[in-house]
Amino acid sequence: MHAELAAIPINGPDNRTRRKVLSAALAELPPFRRMTGAATRGRVRARLGTALNAAIPRGLITFKPAARVELDPATRPKALDWTPKRVAQWREASVTAAPALVWTPRQTGARPPTSWPTTAWTRCGI
């Protein structure tokens, strides 16, 4: 709707009426807000900092305001192994016990590469 509204010329009574109708329709829509996680906010801050760093030598700004923004620390979800109980729970209700579940090499039947020493697999618990 925004693009359609911008494409309508301002002059003319028909255009004004059409613009008013579209503006009213846009005003009735709920605000669009998408929640972002801590990691996304950190990436946005990093990109903003890069852009602002490029502006400093050109004299457009004198300091980097993104450096003064305090963000919550991003914590990764702890990965859990697929256990028989978790697999059964997932099959019954399609619900996982954690946001990150991983298969162990033993569960997938993976074999160590021949270039790896046996002790490396032993340390991994395989």
Side-chain angles (χ1 to χ4, degrees):
M1 275 199 211
H2 289 286
E4 187 179 346
L5 184 61
I8 299 171
I10 295 173
N11 297 335
D14 294 336
N15 293 337
R16 280 191 217 109
T17 305
R18 209 164 140 214
R19 287 178 67 82
K20 284 181 184 178
V21 169
L22 280 175
S23 294
L26 282 172
E28 290 175 9
L29 292 175
F32 177 74
R33 299 193 189 254
R34 190 158 97 193
M35 299 302 292
T36 58
T40 302
R41 288 190 298 268
R43 287 191 296 270
V44 168
R45 178 181 172 204
R47 304 291 187 292
L48 180 62
T50 302
L52 293 173
N53 275 343
I56 292 172
R58 296 180 185 163
L60 300 173
I61 59 173
T62 57
F63 72 101
K64 184 170 66 170
R68 301 190 196 295
V69 175
E70 293 181 13
L71 298 176
D72 297 332
T75 56
R76 291 184 177 183
K78 182 179 179 182
L80 300 175
D81 292 340
W82 280 102
T83 61
K85 180 181 173 184
R86 290 184 185 134
V87 171
Q89 180 185 16
W90 173 72
R91 285 189 175 149
E92 288 175 14
S94 296
V95 176
T96 58
L101 290 168
V102 295
W103 293 100
T104 63
R106 181 175 291 150
Q107 289 171 318
T108 61
R111 297 281 177 247
T114 55
S115 61
W116 281 30
T118 311
T119 55
W121 280 102
T122 308
R123 270 187 262 130
C124 295
I126 298 169

